[in-house]
Amino acid sequence: MISELISKDDRFQEILERLNRKSVEDYYNPYRMFDWPDSLPENRWWMSPELTTTFGTDIASELSPEQLYRLSRFESINFYSLNVDGIRELIVEVTRRIHTRGFEIPSEFFHHFIGEENEHMWFFAEFCLRYGNKIYRQLEPAGDGGAWSDEAASFLVFLRILLFEELVDHFNSTMAADERLHDTIRAVNRIHHQDESRHIAFGRELVSLLFKDLTANASEEELGRVRDYVKRYLNYSFESLFNPHVYRDAGIPEPFAVRRRLLASPRSAEFQQQVFRKPLNYLVRTGILPDRDLGFGAPAPAGRGQA
């Protein structure tokens, strides 16, 4: 049972104590943290170009510098919208488990986690509404059609949270250091990266314990279903970056056809491996996945969807 694994794991409890302390020491007031200018320059990158979905593709070569800048603006709004939607889901799932059986020990950290994520959702939404006049809505895909054991359900919840944070942090850490971006954009990404480094450290430890708890009792059939789900969730999360409404708002003709071209391009599979380099290393090292092959293009599982 997960409560026994946690109570006997001194390393995990030491990490929890350190992360709880850091959450208090590093606390900031987000409502006073940012200096929001009235507008951001449009003839400048809003997202590191290497992180945009058209980078290195034939479509990028068909666009003017002005179109690429405009595209980066709406790609950034979509990215922060994904954060808003993803954070909403993870707050709900963690709240369901705080101070419940099995999660007594990490519940103190859950309080910090929920508070910090709520503040992250606020400043991402603030950016979207100030500079994009919208938050891109994310559609809910169909469920996976199966029921999970309690152990598998908890494992998948915290694994989804971890993978979402790992994807986001890849973008945050890159943009925080990119001098081509406006200071406000860099600051938003830098602050989020600072907090997410704690959340990822916690998530990796908890997910490893939850996987150990799962494998103690799960059948090979259930473990196979879990692994298929993980791969589909990684594909779905990556494909969420390719929003046809972004291409439409950027003034690119036939946005749905553009999305299909981009997802089919050789660069997309390479980009996906770059985005998920760290989490895939973790998943393979822990035995959650047998290899880094994601079978790119599989249907999306339940969770955050694509607008």
Side-chain angles (χ1 to χ4, degrees):
M1 190 172 175
I2 187 59
S3 57
E4 295 178 5
L5 290 174
I6 291 175
S7 65
K8 294 178 181 178
D9 194 315
D10 293 338
R11 179 175 180 273
F12 180 57
Q13 294 189 55
E14 289 173 4
I15 290 172
L16 265 181
E17 182 179 351
R18 185 175 72 249
L19 293 176
N20 284 330
R21 186 171 60 252
K22 286 290 291 179
S23 292
V24 174
E25 292 172 353
D26 294 346
Y27 180 75
Y28 58 91
N29 186 336
Y31 307 103
R32 297 180 177 177
M33 170 67 68
F34 301 103
D35 179 19
W36 301 107
D38 292 338
S39 62
L40 298 178
E42 296 189 4
N43 59 339
R44 188 171 175 180
W45 294 110
W46 285 44
M47 173 181 279
S48 300
E50 296 82 4
L51 297 177
T52 59
T53 58
T54 60
F55 181 79
T57 67
D58 291 341
I59 289 176
S61 65
E62 298 168 3
L63 301 177
S64 68
E66 291 75 18
Q67 287 176 306
L68 290 171
Y69 286 141
R70 181 172 175 82
L71 177 61
S72 78
R73 173 189 175 189
F74 290 104
E75 292 241 35
S76 75
I77 299 300
N78 182 59
F79 172 66
Y80 302 131
S81 298
L82 288 171
N83 277 268
V84 171
D85 199 67
I87 291 170
R88 184 191 305 112
E89 178 190 0
L90 64 85
I91 288 176
V92 169
E93 295 294 352
V94 173
T95 301
R96 286 174 176 166
R97 288 163 175 81
I98 192 169
H99 296 300
T100 63
R101 187 179 181 186
F103 297 102
E104 297 90 346
I105 292 175
S107 283
E108 181 180 352
F109 185 77
F110 287 168
H111 281 287
H112 295 299
F113 180 92
I114 292 167
E116 290 167 0
E117 291 295 351
N118 179 58
E119 292 168 349
H120 298 163
M121 183 164 53
W122 174 79
F123 64 67
F124 283 129
E126 186 73 7
F127 186 98
C128 291
L129 296 173
R130 279 179 178 267
Y131 306 123
N133 297 314
K134 67 173 65 182
I135 296 175
Y136 284 107
R137 295 184 62 187
Q138 311 303 317
L139 303 179
E140 290 291 337
D144 67 338
W148 299 106
S149 66
D150 290 344
E151 292 83 3
S154 288
F155 168 73
L156 290 173
V157 160
F158 284 101
L159 182 63
R160 285 204 310 271
I161 291 172
L162 175 62
L163 295 178
F164 169 70
E165 291 178 323
E166 295 265 18
L167 180 153
V168 167
D169 195 57
H170 175 78
F171 281 70
N172 292 154
S173 58
T174 300
M175 289 193 279
D178 192 340
E179 295 182 355
R180 293 170 293 183
L181 307 181
H182 190 276
D183 287 346
T184 297
I185 296 174
R186 296 181 66 191
V188 166
N189 284 278
R190 182 176 64 253
I191 293 299
H192 195 240
H193 170 62
Q194 173 182 300
D195 289 343
E196 289 304 279
S197 62
R198 291 194 304 275
H199 296 182
I200 289 171
F202 167 78
R204 289 183 180 180
E205 296 297 326
L206 180 59
V207 166
S208 294
L209 288 174
L210 288 167
F211 186 62
K212 185 177 180 180
D213 186 47
L214 172 64
T215 55
N217 299 298
S219 66
E220 286 301 316
E221 186 271 338
E222 184 172 40
L223 289 175
R225 287 178 57 222
V226 164
R227 291 187 171 105
D228 288 343
Y229 180 97
V230 172
K231 290 183 179 181
R232 289 186 291 116
Y233 181 76
L234 285 166
N235 284 327
Y236 150 71
S237 299
F238 178 70
E239 291 178 4
S240 296
L241 299 168
F242 296 74
N243 190 334
H245 298 286
V246 164
Y247 310 135
R248 178 200 62 196
D249 291 345
I252 299 175
E254 300 182 3
F256 287 90
V258 166
R259 183 178 193 265
R260 289 193 295 270
R261 284 179 60 188
L262 290 172
L263 287 172
S265 72
R267 192 260 173 171
S268 289
E270 178 185 344
F271 185 30
Q272 185 186 41
Q273 288 289 323
Q274 292 171 357
V275 168
F276 290 126
R277 179 179 63 85
K278 291 182 179 180
L280 281 174
N281 288 342
Y282 166 82
L283 292 170
V284 173
R285 185 176 68 252
T286 55
I288 295 171
L289 289 183
D291 53 51
R292 299 174 61 89
D293 181 14
L294 296 178
F296 183 63
R304 295 173 300 110
Q306 177 61 49

